[in-house]
PDB file of all heavy atoms in Angstrom:
ATOM      1  N   GLY L   1      -8.127  -5.138  -0.302  1.00  0.00           N
ATOM      2  CA  GLY L   1      -8.251  -5.943   0.922  1.00  0.00           C
ATOM      3  C   GLY L   1      -9.705  -6.078   1.367  1.00  0.00           C
ATOM      4  O   GLY L   1     -10.061  -7.003   2.110  1.00  0.00           O
ATOM      5  N   SER L   2     -10.552  -5.163   0.902  1.00  0.00           N
ATOM      6  CA  SER L   2     -11.997  -5.228   1.325  1.00  0.00           C
ATOM      7  C   SER L   2     -12.620  -6.499   0.784  1.00  0.00           C
ATOM      8  O   SER L   2     -13.515  -7.087   1.484  1.00  0.00           O
ATOM      9  CB  SER L   2     -12.723  -4.039   0.796  1.00  0.00           C
ATOM     10  OG  SER L   2     -12.726  -3.973  -0.620  1.00  0.00           O
ATOM     11  N   ASP L   3     -12.167  -6.988  -0.342  1.00  0.00           N
ATOM     12  CA  ASP L   3     -12.739  -8.196  -0.905  1.00  0.00           C
ATOM     13  C   ASP L   3     -12.179  -9.483  -0.305  1.00  0.00           C
ATOM     14  O   ASP L   3     -12.778 -10.550  -0.379  1.00  0.00           O
ATOM     15  CB  ASP L   3     -12.509  -8.202  -2.478  1.00  0.00           C
ATOM     16  CG  ASP L   3     -13.190  -9.331  -3.158  1.00  0.00           C
ATOM     17  OD1 ASP L   3     -14.372  -9.582  -2.877  1.00  0.00           O
ATOM     18  OD2 ASP L   3     -12.529 -10.025  -3.963  1.00  0.00           O
ATOM     19  N   ILE L   4     -11.030  -9.355   0.369  1.00  0.00           N
ATOM     20  CA  ILE L   4     -10.384 -10.551   1.000  1.00  0.00           C
ATOM     21  C   ILE L   4     -10.384 -10.424   2.519  1.00  0.00           C
ATOM     22  O   ILE L   4      -9.776 -11.246   3.184  1.00  0.00           O
ATOM     23  CB  ILE L   4      -8.969 -10.733   0.449  1.00  0.00           C
ATOM     24  CG1 ILE L   4      -8.122  -9.496   0.685  1.00  0.00           C
ATOM     25  CG2 ILE L   4      -8.995 -11.122  -1.040  1.00  0.00           C
ATOM     26  CD1 ILE L   4      -6.671  -9.667   0.193  1.00  0.00           C
ATOM     27  N   GLY L   5     -11.041  -9.383   3.022  1.00  0.00           N
ATOM     28  CA  GLY L   5     -11.193  -9.287   4.476  1.00  0.00           C
ATOM     29  C   GLY L   5     -10.025  -8.865   5.305  1.00  0.00           C
ATOM     30  O   GLY L   5      -9.879  -9.335   6.448  1.00  0.00           O
ATOM     31  N   ASP L   6      -9.109  -8.033   4.711  1.00  0.00           N
ATOM     32  CA  ASP L   6      -7.932  -7.550   5.419  1.00  0.00           C
ATOM     33  C   ASP L   6      -7.817  -6.066   5.189  1.00  0.00           C
ATOM     34  O   ASP L   6      -7.385  -5.640   4.137  1.00  0.00           O
ATOM     35  CB  ASP L   6      -6.715  -8.311   4.941  1.00  0.00           C
ATOM     36  CG  ASP L   6      -5.449  -7.976   5.730  1.00  0.00           C
ATOM     37  OD1 ASP L   6      -5.534  -7.025   6.564  1.00  0.00           O
ATOM     38  OD2 ASP L   6      -4.421  -8.576   5.501  1.00  0.00           O
ATOM     39  N   ARG L   7      -8.066  -5.272   6.202  1.00  0.00           N
ATOM     40  CA  ARG L   7      -8.070  -3.787   6.087  1.00  0.00           C
ATOM     41  C   ARG L   7      -6.638  -3.255   5.867  1.00  0.00           C
ATOM     42  O   ARG L   7      -6.457  -2.108   5.425  1.00  0.00           O
ATOM     43  CB  ARG L   7      -8.720  -3.171   7.282  1.00  0.00           C
ATOM     44  CG  ARG L   7     -10.196  -3.365   7.388  1.00  0.00           C
ATOM     45  CD  ARG L   7     -10.779  -2.702   8.656  1.00  0.00           C
ATOM     46  NE  ARG L   7     -10.478  -1.351   8.726  1.00  0.00           N
ATOM     47  CZ  ARG L   7     -11.206  -0.346   8.180  1.00  0.00           C
ATOM     48  NH1 ARG L   7     -12.266  -0.691   7.445  1.00  0.00           N
ATOM     49  NH2 ARG L   7     -10.889   0.918   8.315  1.00  0.00           N
ATOM     50  N   GLU L   8      -5.620  -4.012   6.260  1.00  0.00           N
ATOM     51  CA  GLU L   8      -4.246  -3.527   6.103  1.00  0.00           C
ATOM     52  C   GLU L   8      -3.555  -4.237   4.940  1.00  0.00           C
ATOM     53  O   GLU L   8      -2.329  -4.183   4.819  1.00  0.00           O
ATOM     54  CB  GLU L   8      -3.457  -3.760   7.390  1.00  0.00           C
ATOM     55  CG  GLU L   8      -4.025  -2.914   8.560  1.00  0.00           C
ATOM     56  CD  GLU L   8      -3.105  -2.974   9.800  1.00  0.00           C
ATOM     57  OE1 GLU L   8      -2.137  -3.810   9.813  1.00  0.00           O
ATOM     58  OE2 GLU L   8      -3.359  -2.257  10.751  1.00  0.00           O
ATOM     59  N   ALA L   9      -4.327  -4.859   4.067  1.00  0.00           N
ATOM     60  CA  ALA L   9      -3.741  -5.639   2.968  1.00  0.00           C
ATOM     61  C   ALA L   9      -2.870  -4.748   2.059  1.00  0.00           C
ATOM     62  O   ALA L   9      -1.838  -5.191   1.532  1.00  0.00           O
ATOM     63  CB  ALA L   9      -4.819  -6.328   2.153  1.00  0.00           C
ATOM     64  N   PHE L  10      -3.343  -3.473   1.824  1.00  0.00           N
ATOM     65  CA  PHE L  10      -2.568  -2.668   0.889  1.00  0.00           C
ATOM     66  C   PHE L  10      -1.243  -2.250   1.434  1.00  0.00           C
ATOM     67  O   PHE L  10      -0.167  -2.304   0.777  1.00  0.00           O
ATOM     68  CB  PHE L  10      -3.380  -1.404   0.509  1.00  0.00           C
ATOM     69  CG  PHE L  10      -2.731  -0.574  -0.555  1.00  0.00           C
ATOM     70  CD1 PHE L  10      -2.499  -1.095  -1.824  1.00  0.00           C
ATOM     71  CD2 PHE L  10      -2.312   0.719  -0.306  1.00  0.00           C
ATOM     72  CE1 PHE L  10      -1.869  -0.335  -2.812  1.00  0.00           C
ATOM     73  CE2 PHE L  10      -1.707   1.449  -1.275  1.00  0.00           C
ATOM     74  CZ  PHE L  10      -1.475   0.913  -2.532  1.00  0.00           C
ATOM     75  N   SER L  11      -1.165  -1.837   2.725  1.00  0.00           N
ATOM     76  CA  SER L  11       0.101  -1.494   3.327  1.00  0.00           C
ATOM     77  C   SER L  11       1.035  -2.707   3.358  1.00  0.00           C
ATOM     78  O   SER L  11       2.233  -2.592   3.143  1.00  0.00           O
ATOM     79  CB  SER L  11      -0.097  -0.879   4.714  1.00  0.00           C
ATOM     80  OG  SER L  11      -0.663  -1.844   5.580  1.00  0.00           O
ATOM     81  N   LYS L  12       0.452  -3.878   3.641  1.00  0.00           N
ATOM     82  CA  LYS L  12       1.285  -5.090   3.612  1.00  0.00           C
ATOM     83  C   LYS L  12       1.833  -5.381   2.237  1.00  0.00           C
ATOM     84  O   LYS L  12       2.989  -5.817   2.086  1.00  0.00           O
ATOM     85  CB  LYS L  12       0.452  -6.304   4.089  1.00  0.00           C
ATOM     86  CG  LYS L  12       0.040  -6.217   5.568  1.00  0.00           C
ATOM     87  CD  LYS L  12      -0.931  -7.392   5.926  1.00  0.00           C
ATOM     88  CE  LYS L  12      -1.381  -7.302   7.363  1.00  0.00           C
ATOM     89  NZ  LYS L  12      -2.375  -8.374   7.646  1.00  0.00           N
ATOM     90  N   LEU L  13       1.054  -5.110   1.203  1.00  0.00           N
ATOM     91  CA  LEU L  13       1.476  -5.339  -0.180  1.00  0.00           C
ATOM     92  C   LEU L  13       2.619  -4.349  -0.485  1.00  0.00           C
ATOM     93  O   LEU L  13       3.632  -4.788  -1.118  1.00  0.00           O
ATOM     94  CB  LEU L  13       0.283  -5.112  -1.126  1.00  0.00           C
ATOM     95  CG  LEU L  13       0.599  -5.379  -2.618  1.00  0.00           C
ATOM     96  CD1 LEU L  13       0.991  -6.798  -2.839  1.00  0.00           C
ATOM     97  CD2 LEU L  13      -0.644  -5.029  -3.461  1.00  0.00           C
ATOM     98  N   LEU L  14       2.502  -3.109  -0.106  1.00  0.00           N
ATOM     99  CA  LEU L  14       3.596  -2.171  -0.350  1.00  0.00           C
ATOM    100  C   LEU L  14       4.907  -2.655   0.316  1.00  0.00           C
ATOM    101  O   LEU L  14       5.998  -2.602  -0.263  1.00  0.00           O
ATOM    102  CB  LEU L  14       3.237  -0.768   0.199  1.00  0.00           C
ATOM    103  CG  LEU L  14       2.131  -0.025  -0.586  1.00  0.00           C
ATOM    104  CD1 LEU L  14       1.851   1.333   0.126  1.00  0.00           C
ATOM    105  CD2 LEU L  14       2.534   0.213  -2.026  1.00  0.00           C
ATOM    106  N   ARG L  15       4.796  -3.086   1.555  1.00  0.00           N
ATOM    107  CA  ARG L  15       6.017  -3.549   2.276  1.00  0.00           C
ATOM    108  C   ARG L  15       6.539  -4.791   1.595  1.00  0.00           C
ATOM    109  O   ARG L  15       7.786  -4.981   1.497  1.00  0.00           O
ATOM    110  CB  ARG L  15       5.670  -3.820   3.748  1.00  0.00           C
ATOM    111  CG  ARG L  15       5.315  -2.554   4.537  1.00  0.00           C
ATOM    112  CD  ARG L  15       5.102  -2.852   6.000  1.00  0.00           C
ATOM    113  NE  ARG L  15       4.644  -1.699   6.767  1.00  0.00           N
ATOM    114  CZ  ARG L  15       5.444  -0.803   7.316  1.00  0.00           C
ATOM    115  NH1 ARG L  15       6.765  -0.927   7.112  1.00  0.00           N
ATOM    116  NH2 ARG L  15       4.998   0.259   7.987  1.00  0.00           N
ATOM    117  N   ALA L  16       5.712  -5.682   1.135  1.00  0.00           N
ATOM    118  CA  ALA L  16       6.194  -6.882   0.434  1.00  0.00           C
ATOM    119  C   ALA L  16       6.927  -6.533  -0.823  1.00  0.00           C
ATOM    120  O   ALA L  16       7.919  -7.223  -1.188  1.00  0.00           O
ATOM    121  CB  ALA L  16       4.988  -7.822   0.146  1.00  0.00           C
ATOM    122  N   CYS L  17       6.458  -5.526  -1.540  1.00  0.00           N
ATOM    123  CA  CYS L  17       7.188  -5.062  -2.755  1.00  0.00           C
ATOM    124  C   CYS L  17       8.617  -4.587  -2.399  1.00  0.00           C
ATOM    125  O   CYS L  17       9.515  -4.736  -3.227  1.00  0.00           O
ATOM    126  CB  CYS L  17       6.422  -3.874  -3.399  1.00  0.00           C
ATOM    127  SG  CYS L  17       4.907  -4.321  -4.227  1.00  0.00           S
ATOM    128  N   GLY L  18       8.803  -4.130  -1.169  1.00  0.00           N
ATOM    129  CA  GLY L  18      10.120  -3.714  -0.762  1.00  0.00           C
ATOM    130  C   GLY L  18      11.117  -4.857  -0.592  1.00  0.00           C
ATOM    131  O   GLY L  18      12.299  -4.593  -0.505  1.00  0.00           O
ATOM    132  N   THR L  19      10.622  -6.050  -0.556  1.00  0.00           N
ATOM    133  CA  THR L  19      11.564  -7.212  -0.385  1.00  0.00           C
ATOM    134  C   THR L  19      11.926  -7.833  -1.693  1.00  0.00           C
ATOM    135  O   THR L  19      12.739  -8.845  -1.677  1.00  0.00           O
ATOM    136  CB  THR L  19      10.857  -8.299   0.502  1.00  0.00           C
ATOM    137  OG1 THR L  19       9.688  -8.840  -0.261  1.00  0.00           O
ATOM    138  CG2 THR L  19      10.352  -7.688   1.815  1.00  0.00           C
ATOM    139  N   ILE L  20      11.420  -7.354  -2.804  1.00  0.00           N
ATOM    140  CA  ILE L  20      11.701  -7.961  -4.100  1.00  0.00           C
ATOM    141  C   ILE L  20      13.004  -7.393  -4.671  1.00  0.00           C
ATOM    142  O   ILE L  20      13.106  -6.210  -5.006  1.00  0.00           O
ATOM    143  CB  ILE L  20      10.527  -7.716  -5.084  1.00  0.00           C
ATOM    144  CG1 ILE L  20       9.251  -8.396  -4.555  1.00  0.00           C
ATOM    145  CG2 ILE L  20      10.871  -8.296  -6.456  1.00  0.00           C
ATOM    146  CD1 ILE L  20       8.022  -8.130  -5.405  1.00  0.00           C
ATOM    147  N   ASP L  21      14.025  -8.207  -4.770  1.00  0.00           N
ATOM    148  CA  ASP L  21      15.344  -7.843  -5.267  1.00  0.00           C
ATOM    149  C   ASP L  21      15.242  -7.409  -6.730  1.00  0.00           C
ATOM    150  O   ASP L  21      14.673  -8.088  -7.574  1.00  0.00           O
ATOM    151  CB  ASP L  21      16.312  -9.001  -5.094  1.00  0.00           C
ATOM    152  CG  ASP L  21      17.750  -8.583  -5.406  1.00  0.00           C
ATOM    153  OD1 ASP L  21      18.110  -7.436  -5.038  1.00  0.00           O
ATOM    154  OD2 ASP L  21      18.455  -9.357  -6.035  1.00  0.00           O
ATOM    155  N   GLY L  22      15.781  -6.213  -7.019  1.00  0.00           N
ATOM    156  CA  GLY L  22      15.763  -5.735  -8.410  1.00  0.00           C
ATOM    157  C   GLY L  22      14.644  -4.810  -8.710  1.00  0.00           C
ATOM    158  O   GLY L  22      14.641  -4.129  -9.761  1.00  0.00           O
ATOM    159  N   LEU L  23      13.650  -4.710  -7.828  1.00  0.00           N
ATOM    160  CA  LEU L  23      12.551  -3.785  -8.002  1.00  0.00           C
ATOM    161  C   LEU L  23      12.955  -2.440  -7.391  1.00  0.00           C
ATOM    162  O   LEU L  23      13.033  -2.287  -6.161  1.00  0.00           O
ATOM    163  CB  LEU L  23      11.282  -4.301  -7.387  1.00  0.00           C
ATOM    164  CG  LEU L  23      10.010  -3.441  -7.485  1.00  0.00           C
ATOM    165  CD1 LEU L  23       9.635  -3.151  -8.945  1.00  0.00           C
ATOM    166  CD2 LEU L  23       8.851  -4.114  -6.713  1.00  0.00           C
ATOM    167  N   GLU L  24      13.203  -1.458  -8.211  1.00  0.00           N
ATOM    168  CA  GLU L  24      13.736  -0.188  -7.787  1.00  0.00           C
ATOM    169  C   GLU L  24      12.698   0.868  -7.441  1.00  0.00           C
ATOM    170  O   GLU L  24      12.917   1.691  -6.522  1.00  0.00           O
ATOM    171  CB  GLU L  24      14.716   0.429  -8.810  1.00  0.00           C
ATOM    172  CG  GLU L  24      15.927  -0.481  -9.039  1.00  0.00           C
ATOM    173  CD  GLU L  24      17.025   0.269  -9.781  1.00  0.00           C
ATOM    174  OE1 GLU L  24      17.026   1.535  -9.812  1.00  0.00           O
ATOM    175  OE2 GLU L  24      17.887  -0.416 -10.346  1.00  0.00           O
ATOM    176  N   ARG L  25      11.556   0.840  -8.123  1.00  0.00           N
ATOM    177  CA  ARG L  25      10.576   1.910  -7.902  1.00  0.00           C
ATOM    178  C   ARG L  25       9.158   1.298  -7.885  1.00  0.00           C
ATOM    179  O   ARG L  25       8.822   0.516  -8.792  1.00  0.00           O
ATOM    180  CB  ARG L  25      10.661   2.940  -9.020  1.00  0.00           C
ATOM    181  CG  ARG L  25      11.978   3.731  -8.985  1.00  0.00           C
ATOM    182  CD  ARG L  25      11.997   4.892  -9.955  1.00  0.00           C
ATOM    183  NE  ARG L  25      13.140   5.724  -9.791  1.00  0.00           N
ATOM    184  CZ  ARG L  25      13.339   6.929 -10.381  1.00  0.00           C
ATOM    185  NH1 ARG L  25      12.411   7.446 -11.159  1.00  0.00           N
ATOM    186  NH2 ARG L  25      14.429   7.609 -10.171  1.00  0.00           N
ATOM    187  N   VAL L  26       8.408   1.673  -6.919  1.00  0.00           N
ATOM    188  CA  VAL L  26       7.022   1.208  -6.743  1.00  0.00           C
ATOM    189  C   VAL L  26       6.136   2.459  -6.658  1.00  0.00           C
ATOM    190  O   VAL L  26       6.403   3.404  -5.847  1.00  0.00           O
ATOM    191  CB  VAL L  26       6.818   0.351  -5.487  1.00  0.00           C
ATOM    192  CG1 VAL L  26       5.361  -0.059  -5.362  1.00  0.00           C
ATOM    193  CG2 VAL L  26       7.708  -0.887  -5.576  1.00  0.00           C
ATOM    194  N   ARG L  27       5.112   2.517  -7.459  1.00  0.00           N
ATOM    195  CA  ARG L  27       4.109   3.603  -7.397  1.00  0.00           C
ATOM    196  C   ARG L  27       2.707   2.979  -7.323  1.00  0.00           C
ATOM    197  O   ARG L  27       2.580   1.745  -7.584  1.00  0.00           O
ATOM    198  CB  ARG L  27       4.196   4.506  -8.650  1.00  0.00           C
ATOM    199  CG  ARG L  27       5.635   5.068  -8.858  1.00  0.00           C
ATOM    200  CD  ARG L  27       5.664   6.048 -10.046  1.00  0.00           C
ATOM    201  NE  ARG L  27       7.019   6.366 -10.456  1.00  0.00           N
ATOM    202  CZ  ARG L  27       7.753   7.294  -9.848  1.00  0.00           C
ATOM    203  NH1 ARG L  27       7.304   7.993  -8.828  1.00  0.00           N
ATOM    204  NH2 ARG L  27       8.985   7.543 -10.339  1.00  0.00           N
ATOM    205  N   PHE L  28       1.693   3.757  -7.124  1.00  0.00           N
ATOM    206  CA  PHE L  28       0.311   3.239  -7.120  1.00  0.00           C
ATOM    207  C   PHE L  28      -0.659   4.349  -7.470  1.00  0.00           C
ATOM    208  O   PHE L  28      -0.411   5.515  -7.218  1.00  0.00           O
ATOM    209  CB  PHE L  28      -0.080   2.586  -5.799  1.00  0.00           C
ATOM    210  CG  PHE L  28       0.017   3.515  -4.599  1.00  0.00           C
ATOM    211  CD1 PHE L  28      -1.060   4.298  -4.193  1.00  0.00           C
ATOM    212  CD2 PHE L  28       1.190   3.558  -3.836  1.00  0.00           C
ATOM    213  CE1 PHE L  28      -0.934   5.125  -3.102  1.00  0.00           C
ATOM    214  CE2 PHE L  28       1.294   4.354  -2.707  1.00  0.00           C
ATOM    215  CZ  PHE L  28       0.216   5.189  -2.332  1.00  0.00           C
ATOM    216  N   THR L  29      -1.762   3.934  -8.112  1.00  0.00           N
ATOM    217  CA  THR L  29      -2.801   4.889  -8.445  1.00  0.00           C
ATOM    218  C   THR L  29      -4.107   4.153  -8.739  1.00  0.00           C
ATOM    219  O   THR L  29      -4.062   2.976  -9.199  1.00  0.00           O
ATOM    220  CB  THR L  29      -2.361   5.735  -9.703  1.00  0.00           C
ATOM    221  OG1 THR L  29      -3.194   6.861  -9.891  1.00  0.00           O
ATOM    222  CG2 THR L  29      -2.382   4.864 -10.977  1.00  0.00           C
ATOM    223  N   SER L  30      -5.279   4.737  -8.414  1.00  0.00           N
ATOM    224  CA  SER L  30      -5.453   5.989  -7.668  1.00  0.00           C
ATOM    225  C   SER L  30      -6.090   5.648  -6.336  1.00  0.00           C
ATOM    226  O   SER L  30      -7.029   4.851  -6.298  1.00  0.00           O
ATOM    227  CB  SER L  30      -6.369   6.922  -8.399  1.00  0.00           C
ATOM    228  OG  SER L  30      -5.829   7.519  -9.559  1.00  0.00           O
ATOM    229  N   PRO L  31      -5.636   6.245  -5.237  1.00  0.00           N
ATOM    230  CA  PRO L  31      -6.239   5.997  -3.968  1.00  0.00           C
ATOM    231  C   PRO L  31      -7.466   6.851  -3.680  1.00  0.00           C
ATOM    232  O   PRO L  31      -7.735   7.770  -4.477  1.00  0.00           O
ATOM    233  CB  PRO L  31      -5.125   6.325  -2.993  1.00  0.00           C
ATOM    234  CG  PRO L  31      -4.411   7.445  -3.683  1.00  0.00           C
ATOM    235  CD  PRO L  31      -4.455   7.102  -5.161  1.00  0.00           C
ATOM    236  N   HIS L  32      -8.229   6.531  -2.666  1.00  0.00           N
ATOM    237  CA  HIS L  32      -9.387   7.279  -2.251  1.00  0.00           C
ATOM    238  C   HIS L  32      -9.133   7.765  -0.819  1.00  0.00           C
ATOM    239  O   HIS L  32      -8.689   7.000   0.017  1.00  0.00           O
ATOM    240  CB  HIS L  32     -10.634   6.407  -2.291  1.00  0.00           C
ATOM    241  CG  HIS L  32     -11.916   7.136  -2.124  1.00  0.00           C
ATOM    242  ND1 HIS L  32     -12.297   7.788  -0.994  1.00  0.00           N
ATOM    243  CD2 HIS L  32     -12.948   7.328  -3.030  1.00  0.00           C
ATOM    244  CE1 HIS L  32     -13.474   8.368  -1.160  1.00  0.00           C
ATOM    245  NE2 HIS L  32     -13.903   8.080  -2.367  1.00  0.00           N
ATOM    246  N   PRO L  33      -9.392   9.070  -0.538  1.00  0.00           N
ATOM    247  CA  PRO L  33      -9.146   9.597   0.819  1.00  0.00           C
ATOM    248  C   PRO L  33      -9.826   8.797   1.947  1.00  0.00           C
ATOM    249  O   PRO L  33      -9.263   8.665   3.018  1.00  0.00           O
ATOM    250  CB  PRO L  33      -9.674  11.031   0.732  1.00  0.00           C
ATOM    251  CG  PRO L  33      -9.515  11.387  -0.716  1.00  0.00           C
ATOM    252  CD  PRO L  33      -9.827  10.135  -1.461  1.00  0.00           C
ATOM    253  N   ARG L  34     -11.001   8.238   1.606  1.00  0.00           N
ATOM    254  CA  ARG L  34     -11.736   7.504   2.641  1.00  0.00           C
ATOM    255  C   ARG L  34     -10.907   6.344   3.191  1.00  0.00           C
ATOM    256  O   ARG L  34     -10.961   5.999   4.357  1.00  0.00           O
ATOM    257  CB  ARG L  34     -13.031   6.925   2.035  1.00  0.00           C
ATOM    258  CG  ARG L  34     -13.906   6.184   3.027  1.00  0.00           C
ATOM    259  CD  ARG L  34     -14.968   5.346   2.315  1.00  0.00           C
ATOM    260  NE  ARG L  34     -14.378   4.289   1.490  1.00  0.00           N
ATOM    261  CZ  ARG L  34     -15.062   3.469   0.713  1.00  0.00           C
ATOM    262  NH1 ARG L  34     -16.351   3.655   0.560  1.00  0.00           N
ATOM    263  NH2 ARG L  34     -14.449   2.524   0.025  1.00  0.00           N
ATOM    264  N   ASP L  35     -10.158   5.663   2.308  1.00  0.00           N
ATOM    265  CA  ASP L  35      -9.469   4.467   2.672  1.00  0.00           C
ATOM    266  C   ASP L  35      -7.972   4.703   2.939  1.00  0.00           C
ATOM    267  O   ASP L  35      -7.203   3.745   3.093  1.00  0.00           O
ATOM    268  CB  ASP L  35      -9.591   3.426   1.569  1.00  0.00           C
ATOM    269  CG  ASP L  35     -11.058   3.075   1.268  1.00  0.00           C
ATOM    270  OD1 ASP L  35     -11.739   2.606   2.226  1.00  0.00           O
ATOM    271  OD2 ASP L  35     -11.529   3.283   0.159  1.00  0.00           O
ATOM    272  N   PHE L  36      -7.539   5.982   2.922  1.00  0.00           N
ATOM    273  CA  PHE L  36      -6.120   6.225   3.113  1.00  0.00           C
ATOM    274  C   PHE L  36      -5.751   6.266   4.598  1.00  0.00           C
ATOM    275  O   PHE L  36      -5.977   7.284   5.268  1.00  0.00           O
ATOM    276  CB  PHE L  36      -5.749   7.554   2.392  1.00  0.00           C
ATOM    277  CG  PHE L  36      -4.323   7.552   2.025  1.00  0.00           C
ATOM    278  CD1 PHE L  36      -3.910   6.975   0.763  1.00  0.00           C
ATOM    279  CD2 PHE L  36      -3.359   8.183   2.779  1.00  0.00           C
ATOM    280  CE1 PHE L  36      -2.619   7.000   0.371  1.00  0.00           C
ATOM    281  CE2 PHE L  36      -2.043   8.170   2.360  1.00  0.00           C
ATOM    282  CZ  PHE L  36      -1.663   7.593   1.159  1.00  0.00           C
ATOM    283  N   THR L  37      -5.217   5.216   5.104  1.00  0.00           N
ATOM    284  CA  THR L  37      -5.028   5.041   6.529  1.00  0.00           C
ATOM    285  C   THR L  37      -3.536   5.242   6.930  1.00  0.00           C
ATOM    286  O   THR L  37      -2.654   5.240   6.073  1.00  0.00           O
ATOM    287  CB  THR L  37      -5.441   3.636   6.945  1.00  0.00           C
ATOM    288  OG1 THR L  37      -4.839   2.667   6.067  1.00  0.00           O
ATOM    289  CG2 THR L  37      -6.958   3.483   6.877  1.00  0.00           C
ATOM    290  N   ASP L  38      -3.313   5.425   8.202  1.00  0.00           N
ATOM    291  CA  ASP L  38      -1.952   5.695   8.741  1.00  0.00           C
ATOM    292  C   ASP L  38      -0.984   4.549   8.402  1.00  0.00           C
ATOM    293  O   ASP L  38       0.197   4.838   8.215  1.00  0.00           O
ATOM    294  CB  ASP L  38      -1.996   5.904  10.234  1.00  0.00           C
ATOM    295  CG  ASP L  38      -2.699   7.215  10.623  1.00  0.00           C
ATOM    296  OD1 ASP L  38      -2.979   8.018   9.698  1.00  0.00           O
ATOM    297  OD2 ASP L  38      -2.971   7.433  11.826  1.00  0.00           O
ATOM    298  N   ASP L  39      -1.463   3.313   8.364  1.00  0.00           N
ATOM    299  CA  ASP L  39      -0.548   2.219   8.046  1.00  0.00           C
ATOM    300  C   ASP L  39      -0.006   2.338   6.619  1.00  0.00           C
ATOM    301  O   ASP L  39       1.115   1.893   6.361  1.00  0.00           O
ATOM    302  CB  ASP L  39      -1.214   0.889   8.306  1.00  0.00           C
ATOM    303  CG  ASP L  39      -2.408   0.650   7.460  1.00  0.00           C
ATOM    304  OD1 ASP L  39      -3.422   1.360   7.602  1.00  0.00           O
ATOM    305  OD2 ASP L  39      -2.388  -0.287   6.626  1.00  0.00           O
ATOM    306  N   VAL L  40      -0.819   2.896   5.698  1.00  0.00           N
ATOM    307  CA  VAL L  40      -0.357   3.081   4.339  1.00  0.00           C
ATOM    308  C   VAL L  40       0.746   4.196   4.275  1.00  0.00           C
ATOM    309  O   VAL L  40       1.734   4.025   3.639  1.00  0.00           O
ATOM    310  CB  VAL L  40      -1.512   3.460   3.407  1.00  0.00           C
ATOM    311  CG1 VAL L  40      -1.002   3.826   2.003  1.00  0.00           C
ATOM    312  CG2 VAL L  40      -2.494   2.285   3.328  1.00  0.00           C
ATOM    313  N   ILE L  41       0.500   5.251   5.043  1.00  0.00           N
ATOM    314  CA  ILE L  41       1.526   6.322   5.102  1.00  0.00           C
ATOM    315  C   ILE L  41       2.825   5.781   5.643  1.00  0.00           C
ATOM    316  O   ILE L  41       3.920   6.053   5.136  1.00  0.00           O
ATOM    317  CB  ILE L  41       1.023   7.505   5.929  1.00  0.00           C
ATOM    318  CG1 ILE L  41      -0.233   8.106   5.265  1.00  0.00           C
ATOM    319  CG2 ILE L  41       2.097   8.564   6.077  1.00  0.00           C
ATOM    320  CD1 ILE L  41      -0.902   9.179   6.102  1.00  0.00           C
ATOM    321  N   ALA L  42       2.731   4.994   6.702  1.00  0.00           N
ATOM    322  CA  ALA L  42       3.929   4.404   7.334  1.00  0.00           C
ATOM    323  C   ALA L  42       4.627   3.479   6.345  1.00  0.00           C
ATOM    324  O   ALA L  42       5.882   3.489   6.247  1.00  0.00           O
ATOM    325  CB  ALA L  42       3.557   3.644   8.575  1.00  0.00           C
ATOM    326  N   ALA L  43       3.904   2.656   5.596  1.00  0.00           N
ATOM    327  CA  ALA L  43       4.507   1.778   4.644  1.00  0.00           C
ATOM    328  C   ALA L  43       5.209   2.519   3.527  1.00  0.00           C
ATOM    329  O   ALA L  43       6.313   2.175   3.062  1.00  0.00           O
ATOM    330  CB  ALA L  43       3.408   0.834   4.057  1.00  0.00           C
ATOM    331  N   MET L  44       4.600   3.626   3.064  1.00  0.00           N
ATOM    332  CA  MET L  44       5.223   4.459   2.064  1.00  0.00           C
ATOM    333  C   MET L  44       6.516   5.061   2.560  1.00  0.00           C
ATOM    334  O   MET L  44       7.570   5.012   1.856  1.00  0.00           O
ATOM    335  CB  MET L  44       4.322   5.615   1.667  1.00  0.00           C
ATOM    336  CG  MET L  44       3.054   5.226   0.885  1.00  0.00           C
ATOM    337  SD  MET L  44       2.022   6.683   0.530  1.00  0.00           S
ATOM    338  CE  MET L  44       3.061   7.638  -0.553  1.00  0.00           C
ATOM    339  N   ALA L  45       6.495   5.557   3.789  1.00  0.00           N
ATOM    340  CA  ALA L  45       7.718   6.189   4.339  1.00  0.00           C
ATOM    341  C   ALA L  45       8.828   5.227   4.686  1.00  0.00           C
ATOM    342  O   ALA L  45      10.048   5.561   4.573  1.00  0.00           O
ATOM    343  CB  ALA L  45       7.306   6.968   5.615  1.00  0.00           C
TER     344      ALA L  45
END
């Protein structure tokens, strides 16, 4: 999201993955602690 100017782009992407029918498991790697924000934790949960 830093390249497209949206600080919450990653959490939005995770939530969008949740709407894809037939997609059972979503993982990601590797994050950086600097950019690991509360909205990402909420999207994961």
Side-chain angles (χ1 to χ4, degrees):
S2 62
D3 186 47
I4 57 179
D6 185 353
R7 290 178 58 85
E8 295 188 352
F10 186 62
S11 62
K12 293 175 182 176
L13 182 61
L14 290 177
R15 292 182 185 277
C17 287
T19 67
I20 298 177
D21 188 39
L23 180 59
E24 297 195 17
R25 295 187 172 191
V26 178
R27 306 185 192 276
F28 58 88
T29 195
S30 288
H32 191 293
R34 181 195 66 185
D35 302 300
F36 207 82
T37 50
D38 290 350
D39 61 296
V40 173
I41 297 173
M44 291 177 65

